[in-house]
Amino acid sequence: MPSPSKQFDAIGAPWQIDTADPLDPEVFAAIQRRIEQFDRTYSRFRDDSLVSRIARTPGSYPFPPDAPPLFELYRRLYDATAGAMSPLVGRALEELGYDRTYSLQPTATRTRVPDWHEAISWNGSELTTLTPAVLDVGAAGKGYLVDLVAEVLAEYGVSSATVDASGDLLHRGDGELRVALEHPLDTSKAIGVVTVSNEAICASAPNRRAWAGLHHILDARTGLPTDRIIATWAIAPTALEADGLATALFFADPAKLAEEFDCQWVRMLSTGRVEHSADFTGELFL
Amino acid sequence: MRSLTDNKTAVALFAGVTLVGALSACSSTATTADVGSAETTVPDATATGAEYTDGTYTESGNYTSPDGQEQVDVTLTLESNVITDVTVVGNGDNPSSKQFQGEFINGIAAEVVGKNIDELSVDKVAGSSLTSGGFNNAVDAIKADALAE
Protein backbone atom coordinates (compact mmCIF):
# COMPACT_ATOMS: atom_id res chain seq x y z
CA MET A 1 0.00 0.00 0.00
CA PRO A 2 1.36 3.42 -0.88
CA SER A 3 -0.66 5.06 1.91
CA PRO A 4 1.07 6.16 5.08
CA SER A 5 0.24 3.85 7.94
CA LYS A 6 -0.16 4.35 11.64
CA GLN A 7 0.47 1.20 13.66
CA PHE A 8 -0.27 0.71 17.34
CA ASP A 9 -1.58 -1.85 19.84
CA ALA A 10 -5.03 -1.49 21.38
CA ILE A 11 -7.42 -3.80 23.26
CA GLY A 12 -5.07 -6.75 22.96
CA ALA A 13 -4.42 -6.65 19.21
CA PRO A 14 -2.24 -4.78 16.71
CA TRP A 15 -3.99 -2.03 14.69
CA GLN A 16 -3.11 -0.21 11.50
CA ILE A 17 -4.77 2.87 10.03
CA ASP A 18 -4.01 3.70 6.39
CA THR A 19 -4.81 7.20 5.16
CA ALA A 20 -3.94 9.25 2.08
CA ASP A 21 -1.94 11.72 4.17
CA PRO A 22 0.01 11.00 7.36
CA LEU A 23 -2.27 10.99 10.37
CA ASP A 24 -2.15 14.27 12.30
CA PRO A 25 -0.94 13.69 15.90
CA GLU A 26 -4.02 15.55 17.13
CA VAL A 27 -6.30 13.11 15.27
CA PHE A 28 -4.36 10.14 16.57
CA ALA A 29 -4.66 11.48 20.13
CA ALA A 30 -8.43 11.73 19.65
CA ILE A 31 -8.49 8.13 18.41
CA GLN A 32 -6.57 6.96 21.45
CA ARG A 33 -8.97 8.79 23.74
CA ARG A 34 -11.91 7.15 21.97
CA ILE A 35 -10.36 3.69 22.34
CA GLU A 36 -9.63 4.33 26.04
CA GLN A 37 -13.22 5.44 26.62
CA PHE A 38 -14.54 2.29 24.93
CA ASP A 39 -12.15 0.04 26.86
CA ARG A 40 -13.10 1.68 30.17
CA THR A 41 -16.74 0.78 29.50
CA TYR A 42 -16.61 -2.65 27.90
CA SER A 43 -13.36 -4.38 28.83
CA ARG A 44 -13.69 -7.53 30.87
CA PHE A 45 -9.91 -7.42 31.29
CA ARG A 46 -9.62 -4.32 33.48
CA ASP A 47 -10.79 -3.90 37.04
CA ASP A 48 -12.01 -0.30 36.64
CA SER A 49 -14.35 -0.88 33.68
CA LEU A 50 -18.12 -0.59 33.81
CA VAL A 51 -18.39 -4.25 32.78
CA SER A 52 -16.21 -5.27 35.75
CA ARG A 53 -18.36 -3.20 38.14
CA ILE A 54 -21.46 -4.89 36.76
CA ALA A 55 -19.84 -8.30 37.29
CA ARG A 56 -19.38 -7.48 41.00
CA THR A 57 -22.79 -6.07 41.86
CA PRO A 58 -26.18 -6.61 40.21
CA GLY A 59 -28.19 -3.47 39.55
CA SER A 60 -29.15 -0.92 36.91
CA TYR A 61 -26.29 0.69 35.04
CA PRO A 62 -26.60 3.57 32.56
CA PHE A 63 -24.39 3.02 29.51
CA PRO A 64 -22.70 5.62 27.29
CA PRO A 65 -24.46 6.73 24.08
CA ASP A 66 -22.44 4.24 22.00
CA ALA A 67 -24.10 1.24 23.68
CA PRO A 68 -27.46 0.87 21.87
CA PRO A 69 -26.11 -0.38 18.50
CA LEU A 70 -23.92 -2.93 20.29
CA PHE A 71 -26.64 -4.35 22.52
CA GLU A 72 -29.17 -4.30 19.68
CA LEU A 73 -26.83 -6.27 17.41
CA TYR A 74 -26.13 -8.75 20.19
CA ARG A 75 -29.85 -9.23 20.74
CA ARG A 76 -30.51 -9.84 17.02
CA LEU A 77 -27.68 -12.34 16.81
CA TYR A 78 -28.73 -14.01 20.05
CA ASP A 79 -32.15 -14.60 18.49
CA ALA A 80 -30.76 -15.59 15.06
CA THR A 81 -28.46 -18.19 16.67
CA ALA A 82 -31.11 -19.56 19.06
CA GLY A 83 -29.08 -18.32 22.02
CA ALA A 84 -25.69 -19.71 20.95
CA MET A 85 -24.10 -16.28 20.58
CA SER A 86 -24.50 -14.41 23.83
CA PRO A 87 -22.82 -11.52 25.66
CA LEU A 88 -23.17 -13.62 28.83
CA VAL A 89 -20.31 -16.04 28.09
CA GLY A 90 -17.87 -13.98 30.19
CA ARG A 91 -17.94 -16.25 33.23
CA ALA A 92 -17.58 -19.39 31.10
CA LEU A 93 -14.55 -17.85 29.38
CA GLU A 94 -13.05 -17.03 32.78
CA GLU A 95 -13.63 -20.57 34.00
CA LEU A 96 -11.93 -21.94 30.90
CA GLY A 97 -8.91 -19.74 31.67
CA TYR A 98 -9.52 -16.79 29.32
CA ASP A 99 -9.51 -14.38 32.23
CA ARG A 100 -8.09 -11.01 33.20
CA THR A 101 -4.64 -12.40 33.95
CA TYR A 102 -4.70 -14.78 30.97
CA SER A 103 -4.20 -17.69 33.36
CA LEU A 104 -5.17 -20.04 30.50
CA GLN A 105 -5.72 -22.67 33.18
CA PRO A 106 -9.20 -24.20 33.05
CA THR A 107 -10.84 -24.48 36.47
CA ALA A 108 -12.91 -27.47 37.56
CA THR A 109 -16.01 -25.26 37.81
CA ARG A 110 -18.45 -24.96 34.92
CA THR A 111 -21.30 -22.51 35.49
CA ARG A 112 -24.16 -22.68 33.01
CA VAL A 113 -24.32 -19.59 30.79
CA PRO A 114 -27.60 -17.91 31.78
CA ASP A 115 -30.28 -17.12 29.21
CA TRP A 116 -30.58 -13.46 28.24
CA HIS A 117 -33.92 -12.95 29.97
CA GLU A 118 -32.87 -14.53 33.24
CA ALA A 119 -29.72 -12.43 33.58
CA ILE A 120 -30.06 -9.05 31.88
CA SER A 121 -32.54 -6.53 30.59
CA TRP A 122 -31.61 -3.70 28.22
CA ASN A 123 -34.02 -0.78 27.90
CA GLY A 124 -32.12 1.22 25.30
CA SER A 125 -29.93 3.17 27.70
CA GLU A 126 -29.65 1.17 30.92
CA LEU A 127 -28.65 -2.41 31.53
CA THR A 128 -30.28 -4.10 34.50
CA THR A 129 -28.61 -7.24 35.76
CA LEU A 130 -30.39 -9.69 38.01
CA THR A 131 -27.29 -11.70 38.89
CA PRO A 132 -23.58 -10.77 38.90
CA ALA A 133 -23.38 -11.12 35.11
CA VAL A 134 -19.96 -11.28 33.46
CA LEU A 135 -20.49 -9.57 30.11
CA ASP A 136 -18.16 -10.30 27.23
CA VAL A 137 -18.71 -8.27 24.08
CA GLY A 138 -15.64 -9.75 22.40
CA ALA A 139 -17.64 -11.22 19.52
CA ALA A 140 -18.61 -7.82 18.10
CA GLY A 141 -16.89 -5.22 20.27
CA LYS A 142 -13.65 -4.86 18.34
CA GLY A 143 -15.52 -4.50 15.06
CA TYR A 144 -17.68 -1.83 16.65
CA LEU A 145 -14.60 0.01 17.90
CA VAL A 146 -13.26 -0.03 14.33
CA ASP A 147 -16.45 1.79 13.22
CA LEU A 148 -16.09 4.27 16.09
CA VAL A 149 -12.46 4.99 15.18
CA ALA A 150 -13.55 5.62 11.57
CA GLU A 151 -16.14 8.06 12.97
CA VAL A 152 -13.40 9.97 14.79
CA LEU A 153 -11.42 10.13 11.54
CA ALA A 154 -14.49 11.46 9.71
CA GLU A 155 -15.03 14.09 12.42
CA TYR A 156 -11.54 15.36 11.64
CA GLY A 157 -12.23 15.39 7.91
CA VAL A 158 -10.42 12.14 7.10
CA SER A 159 -13.09 10.46 4.98
CA SER A 160 -10.86 8.03 3.05
CA ALA A 161 -9.22 5.51 5.33
CA THR A 162 -8.73 1.85 6.07
CA VAL A 163 -8.97 0.83 9.71
CA ASP A 164 -7.49 -2.62 10.28
CA ALA A 165 -7.73 -3.93 13.81
CA SER A 166 -6.37 -7.32 12.74
CA GLY A 167 -9.29 -9.54 11.87
CA ASP A 168 -11.66 -6.58 11.63
CA LEU A 169 -11.18 -4.36 8.62
CA LEU A 170 -13.18 -1.33 7.49
CA HIS A 171 -12.67 0.54 4.24
CA ARG A 172 -14.11 4.03 3.85
CA GLY A 173 -13.87 6.45 0.96
CA ASP A 174 -12.04 6.23 -2.35
CA GLY A 175 -10.68 3.13 -4.01
CA GLU A 176 -10.98 -0.47 -2.98
CA LEU A 177 -9.00 -3.15 -1.19
CA ARG A 178 -8.07 -6.60 -2.35
CA VAL A 179 -8.19 -8.82 0.70
CA ALA A 180 -6.84 -12.35 1.04
CA LEU A 181 -8.85 -14.83 3.12
CA GLU A 182 -6.26 -16.43 5.36
CA HIS A 183 -6.17 -20.23 5.60
CA PRO A 184 -6.81 -21.03 9.28
CA LEU A 185 -4.54 -24.09 9.24
CA ASP A 186 -1.67 -22.47 7.30
CA THR A 187 -1.48 -18.73 7.80
CA SER A 188 1.02 -18.32 4.96
CA LYS A 189 -1.76 -19.32 2.57
CA ALA A 190 -5.07 -17.86 1.45
CA ILE A 191 -8.22 -19.75 0.47
CA GLY A 192 -9.50 -16.88 -1.65
CA VAL A 193 -9.46 -13.20 -2.43
CA VAL A 194 -12.23 -10.61 -2.31
CA THR A 195 -12.42 -6.91 -3.12
CA VAL A 196 -14.12 -4.59 -0.66
CA SER A 197 -14.98 -0.93 -0.97
CA ASN A 198 -16.82 1.22 1.58
CA GLU A 199 -17.66 -1.82 3.66
CA ALA A 200 -16.21 -4.04 6.33
CA ILE A 201 -14.78 -7.52 6.20
CA CYS A 202 -14.28 -9.39 9.45
CA ALA A 203 -12.70 -12.78 9.95
CA SER A 204 -12.91 -15.11 12.86
CA ALA A 205 -11.07 -18.31 13.68
CA PRO A 206 -9.98 -19.98 16.89
CA ASN A 207 -6.44 -20.63 15.63
CA ARG A 208 -4.60 -17.79 17.37
CA ARG A 209 -6.45 -17.70 20.70
CA ALA A 210 -6.26 -21.33 21.63
CA TRP A 211 -4.87 -22.95 24.75
CA ALA A 212 -5.04 -26.33 26.47
CA GLY A 213 -7.21 -27.73 23.68
CA LEU A 214 -9.66 -24.85 24.15
CA HIS A 215 -10.40 -21.60 22.36
CA HIS A 216 -12.36 -18.40 22.81
CA ILE A 217 -15.44 -18.92 20.59
CA LEU A 218 -18.04 -20.41 22.92
CA ASP A 219 -21.50 -21.77 22.26
CA ALA A 220 -23.50 -20.20 25.08
CA ARG A 221 -25.86 -23.17 25.12
CA THR A 222 -23.08 -25.57 26.10
CA GLY A 223 -20.53 -23.12 27.51
CA LEU A 224 -17.90 -24.91 25.44
CA PRO A 225 -15.82 -23.99 22.38
CA THR A 226 -17.32 -24.81 18.99
CA ASP A 227 -15.61 -27.35 16.76
CA ARG A 228 -17.54 -27.82 13.50
CA ILE A 229 -16.47 -24.55 11.85
CA ILE A 230 -12.82 -23.49 11.83
CA ALA A 231 -12.95 -20.09 10.11
CA THR A 232 -15.53 -17.53 9.02
CA TRP A 233 -15.61 -14.30 7.03
CA ALA A 234 -18.43 -11.77 6.76
CA ILE A 235 -18.71 -8.67 4.59
CA ALA A 236 -21.26 -6.08 5.74
CA PRO A 237 -21.81 -2.31 5.65
CA THR A 238 -20.33 -1.86 9.15
CA ALA A 239 -17.58 -3.63 11.07
CA LEU A 240 -19.99 -4.03 14.01
CA GLU A 241 -22.26 -6.20 11.87
CA ALA A 242 -19.45 -7.99 10.05
CA ASP A 243 -17.66 -8.87 13.30
CA GLY A 244 -20.84 -10.11 14.99
CA LEU A 245 -21.84 -12.09 11.90
CA ALA A 246 -18.39 -13.67 11.65
CA THR A 247 -18.95 -15.11 15.13
CA ALA A 248 -22.58 -16.02 14.48
CA LEU A 249 -21.49 -18.05 11.43
CA PHE A 250 -19.91 -20.53 13.85
CA PHE A 251 -23.35 -21.36 15.22
CA ALA A 252 -26.17 -20.36 12.90
CA ASP A 253 -27.64 -21.54 9.66
CA PRO A 254 -26.04 -19.01 7.29
CA ALA A 255 -29.21 -18.77 5.18
CA LYS A 256 -31.02 -17.49 8.26
CA LEU A 257 -28.36 -14.86 8.95
CA ALA A 258 -28.41 -13.75 5.30
CA GLU A 259 -32.18 -13.28 5.55
CA GLU A 260 -31.77 -11.06 8.58
CA PHE A 261 -28.64 -9.13 7.53
CA ASP A 262 -27.23 -7.50 4.41
CA CYS A 263 -24.05 -9.55 4.17
CA GLN A 264 -21.84 -11.86 2.13
CA TRP A 265 -20.18 -14.75 3.92
CA VAL A 266 -17.68 -17.58 3.61
CA ARG A 267 -16.95 -20.27 6.14
CA MET A 268 -14.61 -23.23 6.39
CA LEU A 269 -15.64 -26.47 8.03
CA SER A 270 -13.34 -28.68 10.08
CA THR A 271 -13.50 -31.16 7.20
CA GLY A 272 -11.64 -28.62 5.05
CA ARG A 273 -14.65 -27.82 2.90
CA VAL A 274 -15.75 -24.27 2.28
CA GLU A 275 -19.28 -22.86 2.03
CA HIS A 276 -20.15 -19.40 0.78
CA SER A 277 -23.15 -17.20 0.15
CA ALA A 278 -24.58 -17.26 -3.37
CA ASP A 279 -23.78 -13.56 -3.73
CA PHE A 280 -20.14 -13.82 -2.66
CA THR A 281 -18.27 -11.56 -5.09
CA GLY A 282 -14.76 -12.82 -4.37
CA GLU A 283 -12.76 -15.70 -5.74
CA LEU A 284 -12.24 -18.93 -3.81
CA PHE A 285 -9.36 -21.19 -4.73
CA LEU A 286 -11.40 -24.32 -5.31
CA MET B 1 -22.23 -20.35 -23.65
CA ARG B 2 -23.50 -23.26 -25.67
CA SER B 3 -26.95 -24.66 -25.18
CA LEU B 4 -27.42 -28.32 -24.71
CA THR B 5 -28.15 -29.96 -28.02
CA ASP B 6 -25.39 -32.37 -28.81
CA ASN B 7 -24.80 -34.07 -25.52
CA LYS B 8 -27.98 -34.30 -23.60
CA THR B 9 -27.14 -37.54 -21.87
CA ALA B 10 -24.24 -36.26 -19.87
CA VAL B 11 -25.97 -33.20 -18.60
CA ALA B 12 -29.32 -34.79 -18.01
CA LEU B 13 -27.49 -37.40 -16.01
CA PHE B 14 -25.76 -34.79 -13.93
CA ALA B 15 -28.92 -32.72 -13.58
CA GLY B 16 -30.55 -35.85 -12.23
CA VAL B 17 -27.84 -36.24 -9.62
CA THR B 18 -28.16 -32.61 -8.71
CA LEU B 19 -31.88 -32.85 -8.24
CA VAL B 20 -31.49 -35.79 -5.90
CA GLY B 21 -29.27 -33.47 -3.88
CA ALA B 22 -31.84 -30.73 -3.99
CA LEU B 23 -34.61 -33.01 -2.89
CA SER B 24 -32.58 -34.56 -0.11
CA ALA B 25 -31.87 -31.03 1.06
CA CYS B 26 -35.63 -30.69 1.50
CA SER B 27 -35.85 -33.68 3.76
CA SER B 28 -32.96 -32.75 6.01
CA THR B 29 -31.68 -29.37 7.05
CA ALA B 30 -28.08 -30.41 6.57
CA THR B 31 -26.19 -28.56 3.90
CA THR B 32 -25.58 -30.62 0.80
CA ALA B 33 -21.86 -30.35 1.10
CA ASP B 34 -21.07 -33.23 -1.17
CA VAL B 35 -23.14 -32.27 -4.14
CA GLY B 36 -21.25 -29.45 -5.73
CA SER B 37 -17.62 -30.43 -5.58
CA ALA B 38 -15.54 -28.45 -7.99
CA GLU B 39 -13.82 -31.45 -9.52
CA THR B 40 -16.34 -34.17 -10.22
CA THR B 41 -15.60 -36.76 -12.84
CA VAL B 42 -18.59 -37.48 -15.01
CA PRO B 43 -19.30 -41.03 -13.89
CA ASP B 44 -20.17 -42.55 -17.26
CA ALA B 45 -17.20 -41.13 -19.10
CA THR B 46 -14.64 -43.45 -17.61
CA ALA B 47 -16.95 -46.44 -17.44
CA THR B 48 -17.92 -46.38 -21.10
CA GLY B 49 -14.89 -44.62 -22.50
CA ALA B 50 -17.19 -41.93 -23.92
CA GLU B 51 -15.66 -38.54 -24.56
CA TYR B 52 -17.73 -35.48 -23.73
CA THR B 53 -17.24 -32.28 -25.65
CA ASP B 54 -15.74 -29.49 -23.57
CA GLY B 55 -18.02 -26.54 -23.03
CA THR B 56 -20.63 -24.95 -20.82
CA TYR B 57 -24.07 -26.52 -20.73
CA THR B 58 -27.33 -25.33 -19.25
CA GLU B 59 -30.38 -27.46 -18.58
CA SER B 60 -33.54 -27.07 -16.55
CA GLY B 61 -34.76 -29.79 -14.27
CA ASN B 62 -38.25 -30.24 -12.86
CA TYR B 63 -39.36 -31.93 -9.72
CA THR B 64 -42.61 -32.21 -7.85
CA SER B 65 -42.68 -30.65 -4.42
CA PRO B 66 -45.62 -30.76 -1.99
CA ASP B 67 -46.52 -27.34 -3.36
CA GLY B 68 -46.46 -28.43 -6.98
CA GLN B 69 -44.05 -28.47 -9.88
CA GLU B 70 -40.75 -26.64 -9.36
CA GLN B 71 -37.79 -25.93 -11.59
CA VAL B 72 -34.05 -25.44 -11.14
CA ASP B 73 -31.58 -24.42 -13.84
CA VAL B 74 -28.21 -26.13 -13.76
CA THR B 75 -25.23 -24.77 -15.67
CA LEU B 76 -22.03 -26.72 -15.74
CA THR B 77 -18.69 -26.55 -17.48
CA LEU B 78 -16.98 -29.68 -18.80
CA GLU B 79 -13.28 -29.88 -19.47
CA SER B 80 -11.68 -33.20 -20.41
CA ASN B 81 -14.62 -35.15 -18.97
CA VAL B 82 -14.35 -33.28 -15.67
CA ILE B 83 -16.98 -30.89 -14.37
CA THR B 84 -15.02 -27.80 -13.44
CA ASP B 85 -17.86 -25.44 -12.55
CA VAL B 86 -21.47 -25.77 -11.47
CA THR B 87 -24.10 -23.09 -11.03
CA VAL B 88 -27.61 -23.82 -9.82
CA VAL B 89 -30.39 -21.26 -10.02
CA GLY B 90 -33.65 -21.95 -8.21
CA ASN B 91 -36.96 -20.74 -9.61
CA GLY B 92 -39.17 -21.68 -6.69
CA ASP B 93 -42.16 -19.41 -6.15
CA ASN B 94 -43.57 -20.66 -2.89
CA PRO B 95 -41.74 -19.86 0.35
CA SER B 96 -40.63 -23.37 1.23
CA SER B 97 -39.23 -24.04 -2.24
CA LYS B 98 -37.37 -20.74 -2.09
CA GLN B 99 -35.97 -21.68 1.29
CA PHE B 100 -34.86 -25.18 0.33
CA GLN B 101 -33.49 -24.16 -3.04
CA GLY B 102 -31.66 -21.29 -1.34
CA GLU B 103 -30.17 -23.61 1.24
CA PHE B 104 -29.11 -26.00 -1.45
CA ILE B 105 -27.53 -23.31 -3.57
CA ASN B 106 -25.75 -21.76 -0.60
CA GLY B 107 -24.66 -25.18 0.52
CA ILE B 108 -22.52 -25.80 -2.51
CA ALA B 109 -19.18 -26.43 -0.97
CA ALA B 110 -15.86 -27.64 -2.11
CA GLU B 111 -12.38 -28.36 -0.89
CA VAL B 112 -10.17 -25.32 -1.15
CA VAL B 113 -6.60 -25.24 -2.31
CA GLY B 114 -4.55 -22.67 -0.41
CA LYS B 115 -2.40 -20.28 -2.42
CA ASN B 116 0.67 -18.59 -0.97
CA ILE B 117 -0.29 -15.13 0.22
CA ASP B 118 3.15 -13.87 -0.82
CA GLU B 119 2.32 -14.71 -4.41
CA LEU B 120 -1.06 -12.96 -4.39
CA SER B 121 -1.25 -9.27 -5.03
CA VAL B 122 -3.37 -8.17 -2.07
CA ASP B 123 -3.62 -5.10 0.13
CA LYS B 124 -4.73 -6.88 3.29
CA VAL B 125 -5.15 -10.30 4.84
CA ALA B 126 -8.35 -11.22 6.69
CA GLY B 127 -7.65 -13.83 9.33
CA SER B 128 -8.28 -14.26 13.02
CA SER B 129 -7.11 -11.37 15.21
CA LEU B 130 -3.41 -11.32 15.87
CA THR B 131 -2.58 -11.39 19.53
CA SER B 132 -0.40 -8.89 21.29
CA GLY B 133 1.10 -8.44 24.73
CA GLY B 134 -0.64 -10.31 27.50
CA PHE B 135 -1.96 -13.34 25.64
CA ASN B 136 1.38 -14.06 23.97
CA ASN B 137 3.27 -13.64 27.25
CA ALA B 138 0.86 -16.00 28.97
CA VAL B 139 1.26 -18.66 26.30
CA ASP B 140 5.05 -18.28 26.47
CA ALA B 141 4.98 -18.61 30.26
CA ILE B 142 2.87 -21.77 30.07
CA LYS B 143 5.21 -23.27 27.49
CA ALA B 144 8.18 -22.47 29.74
CA ASP B 145 6.42 -24.12 32.72
CA ALA B 146 5.63 -27.15 30.64
CA LEU B 147 9.27 -27.51 29.61
CA ALA B 148 10.46 -27.13 33.21
CA GLU B 149 8.17 -29.88 34.51
Side-chain angles (χ1 to χ4, degrees):
Chain A
M1 288 291 287
S3 309
S5 293
K6 184 76 187 171
Q7 294 177 325
F8 55 97
D9 276 2
I11 63 165
W15 287 55
Q16 180 172 324
I17 299 176
D18 301 323
T19 46
D21 301 311
L23 205 56
D24 194 299
E26 185 198 349
V27 182
F28 184 59
I31 287 170
Q32 288 193 301
R33 283 196 301 276
R34 187 66 190 87
I35 291 172
E36 165 64 17
Q37 185 195 345
F38 188 87
D39 199 48
R40 212 165 46 229
T41 305
Y42 299 105
S43 178
R44 179 168 67 80
F45 294 90
R46 51 191 283 178
D47 206 34
D48 61 346
S49 70
L50 178 58
V51 158
S52 291
R53 280 203 285 138
I54 292 170
R56 287 191 289 269
T57 319
S60 284
Y61 294 87
F63 266 71
D66 60 20
L70 185 61
F71 281 111
E72 281 155 25
L73 181 85
Y74 256 103
R75 182 67 220 199
R76 287 172 72 193
L77 290 172
Y78 180 84
D79 291 335
T81 60
M85 184 174 151
S86 166
L88 293 163
V89 292
R91 187 172 310 282
L93 282 166
E94 287 178 352
E95 289 172 354
L96 293 175
Y98 199 56
D99 53 27
R100 190 171 298 155
T101 60
Y102 290 123
S103 77
L104 307 184
Q105 307 284 354
T107 63
T109 319
R110 292 284 179 277
T111 310
R112 186 180 70 85
V113 178
D115 292 342
W116 185 295
H117 67 89
E118 29 175 35
I120 52 174
S121 162
W122 169 252
N123 71 2
S125 60
E126 261 186 6
L127 187 80
T128 301
T129 61
L130 310 168
T131 58
V134 185
L135 296 175
D136 180 279
V137 296
K142 183 148 67 73
Y144 189 35
L145 185 55
V146 165
D147 290 336
L148 298 173
V149 165
E151 276 179 24
V152 174
L153 288 167
E155 279 164 28
Y156 282 86
V158 184
S159 54
S160 270
T162 299
V163 181
D164 179 359
S166 153
D168 301 298
L169 182 73
L170 177 70
H171 174 271
R172 284 277 179 262
D174 305 330
E176 57 186 29
L177 288 177
R178 241 171 83 81
V179 181
L181 310 182
E182 183 187 81
H183 197 304
L185 304 178
D186 180 353
T187 55
S188 69
K189 288 191 158 51
I191 66 154
V193 172
V194 66
T195 300
V196 296
S197 181
N198 267 305
E199 57 199 343
I201 177 166
C202 295
S204 189
N207 57 351
R208 289 196 176 86
R209 286 169 203 264
W211 67 96
L214 300 166
H215 64 77
H216 70 297
I217 302 165
L218 300 194
D219 186 328
R221 296 167 301 192
T222 61
L224 294 170
T226 61
D227 55 9
R228 200 171 74 82
I229 309 291
I230 58 170
T232 62
W233 293 265
I235 300 174
T238 65
L240 167 64
E241 293 164 282
D243 192 10
L245 285 164
T247 304
L249 281 165
F250 280 86
F251 312 110
D253 172 4
K256 190 163 180 191
L257 293 175
E259 259 173 44
E260 175 82 13
F261 292 90
D262 172 18
C263 68
Q264 298 175 47
W265 58 267
V266 176
R267 66 179 188 175
M268 187 164 180
L269 282 63
S270 56
T271 57
R273 298 181 79 82
V274 169
E275 299 175 343
H276 62 88
S277 57
D279 63 351
F280 178 63
T281 54
E283 180 194 357
L284 293 171
F285 305 141
L286 303 177
Chain B
M1 178 170 297
R2 202 163 2 155
S3 72
L4 181 78
T5 48
D6 53 346
N7 215 331
K8 211 158 190 128
T9 329
V11 176
L13 189 149
F14 184 76
V17 171
T18 307
L19 288 174
V20 170
L23 291 169
S24 67
C26 295
S27 57
S28 85
T29 53
T31 49
T32 54
D34 287 319
V35 174
S37 305
E39 299 279 324
T40 306
T41 306
V42 177
D44 269 358
T46 44
T48 65
E51 288 295 324
Y52 295 103
T53 312
D54 288 353
T56 299
Y57 300 87
T58 298
E59 182 61 292
S60 296
N62 294 299
Y63 65 93
T64 306
S65 79
D67 294 305
Q69 200 73 0
E70 299 290 359
Q71 183 188 321
V72 290
D73 297 333
V74 180
T75 301
L76 61 82
T77 305
L78 279 178
E79 279 175 36
S80 309
N81 292 329
V82 170
I83 296 167
T84 56
D85 191 33
V86 183
T87 315
V88 182
V89 177
N91 296 311
D93 279 332
N94 70 72
S96 51
S97 288
K98 275 188 174 166
Q99 182 200 334
F100 290 127
Q101 290 185 356
E103 283 174 7
F104 170 64
I105 291 162
N106 280 332
I108 285 186
E111 308 278 349
V112 284
V113 186
K115 287 192 184 175
N116 289 330
I117 292 175
D118 290 348
E119 292 159 19
L120 297 168
S121 172
V122 293
D123 304 304
K124 292 283 181 182
V125 176
S128 63
S129 299
L130 299 171
T131 52
S132 69
F135 189 86
N136 294 349
N137 296 342
V139 171
D140 289 347
I142 287 169
K143 281 183 188 159
D145 287 350
L147 285 175
E149 273 167 19

